[in-house]
Amino acid sequence: MSIRTLLVDDHTMFRQALRVMLELEEGIEVVGELGDGNKIVETVALLRPDVVVMDVSMPGMNGIEATRALRAKNPQIKVVALSASNYKQFIIEMMGAGATAYVVKSAAGDQLVYAINSAAKGKTYLCPESATLLVDSNLLGPVGAATPFESRRLARRETAVLELLAQGKSSPQIGELLHIASSTVDVHRRNIIRKLDLHNVAELTKYAILVGIADL
C-alpha cells in the first residue's frame, strides 16, 4: 500500500518539483498540495494522508504552528519538516511541535524519500546535516526523547517579548505593554537568548521574522 503524502510549501515551483520527484517513487502517492498551513486541519480531514511534508517558513500560519495544530487534532498523522535552513531552532521547534522527521531542502532527494518512509513507520529521522548540527550542539538525546526539544521551546510570554523586541521596543516599553516589570522583561530576554542560542537583538529579530513572529 502506498504512503499517502500531502505537500505543504508556499513556493509553487518547488512544490510541483517535489510532486514530480515523489510520484516517480514506488510506494509514495502524492494526494494533494497546499501553499500554506492555514487550511491544514481541514485538508487532512478531506484527503486523509499518512504523511505531511511541511515547509517550516511560510506566510500566514507557518510550519511550526501548522504542525502543532495538525498533531493536536490528528496525532496519528506523521509530519516531515522541510526547510531551506539548517537552523538549529527550526529543528527544535518543529520536533517539539510533533514532527517525526526533519530534512533540509538542499537534501530533498533521496533524503526526503527516506524521511517519508521512516515517518510512515513511526521512526524519528533527521537528515545528516541536521543530525550533525544537533550533535555538535549537544541537543540530540536518545531517539524519540522529547525533552531536549520541549525544554527549548519558547513559552507564550517569551514569544510576546520576542515579538516586541523585534519591533524595536525597549525593556521599559515592553514591560508597560505587557504589564510586567522591566526587570522581568530582561529575565525573559536572557531566557530567549539562551534557548535560541542567539546573541543580540539583530539575530533575535531575524529569527522572529523567519518563523513569522514579526513582519519585515
Side-chain angles (χ1 to χ4, degrees):
M1 183 178 294
S2 295
I3 302 168
R4 294 174 59 82
T5 304
L6 173 66
L7 304 179
V8 186
D9 194 294
D10 63 313
H11 293 96
T12 303
M13 291 183 64
F14 179 76
R15 194 174 68 240
Q16 292 174 345
L18 282 185
R19 181 170 197 144
V20 170
M21 178 195 76
L22 292 175
E23 287 180 338
L24 294 174
E25 294 292 329
E26 185 177 354
I28 296 177
E29 177 189 2
V30 178
V31 296
E33 302 177 21
L34 279 177
D36 58 50
N38 291 319
K39 295 184 178 179
I40 186 66
V41 174
E42 300 93 320
T43 303
V44 163
L46 178 66
L47 299 178
R48 305 177 71 83
D50 304 304
V51 174
V52 174
V53 175
M54 183 83 73
D55 188 16
V56 178
S57 183
M58 297 183 290
M61 180 181 284
N62 64 42
I64 298 165
E65 296 168 333
T67 298
R68 192 172 294 125
L70 174 59
R71 293 277 295 170
K73 292 283 189 180
N74 303 273
Q76 79 283 2
I77 298 292
K78 307 303 181 184
V79 175
V80 174
L82 191 61
S83 177
S85 303
N86 193 32
Y87 193 27
K88 179 171 62 180
Q89 192 60 26
F90 279 3
I91 304 170
I92 293 167
E93 294 277 354
M94 282 299 290
M95 300 303 282
T100 306
Y102 192 101
V103 177
V104 293
K105 288 186 176 181
S106 60
D110 292 342
Q111 291 293 326
L112 181 58
V113 172
Y114 190 86
I116 291 171
N117 281 284
S118 294
K121 297 172 184 175
K123 297 180 180 180
T124 301
Y125 177 75
L126 298 173
C127 70
E129 295 90 335
S130 299
T132 298
L133 177 64
L134 294 192
V135 168
D136 290 345
S137 302
N138 297 314
L139 290 176
L140 190 59
V143 173
T147 302
F149 299 120
E150 293 290 343
S151 65
R152 288 168 174 82
R153 280 178 51 188
L154 297 184
R156 183 174 299 178
R157 178 68 77 179
E158 290 167 344
T159 300
V161 169
L162 176 57
E163 180 180 3
L164 293 169
L165 283 171
Q167 293 174 9
K169 305 292 186 185
S170 66
S171 291
Q173 289 173 323
I174 294 172
E176 183 176 351
L177 289 167
L178 298 181
H179 307 291
I180 57 178
S182 176
S183 59
T184 302
V185 175
D186 291 334
V187 171
H188 286 312
R189 185 202 297 253
R190 288 194 293 271
N191 287 338
I192 293 166
I193 287 172
R194 174 181 56 80
K195 286 184 176 182
L196 301 184
D197 193 26
L198 300 175
H199 307 97
N200 53 52
V201 173
E203 291 183 358
L204 290 173
T205 300
K206 179 181 178 182
Y207 170 78
I209 292 170
L210 284 171
V211 300
I213 294 173
D215 297 324
L216 288 170

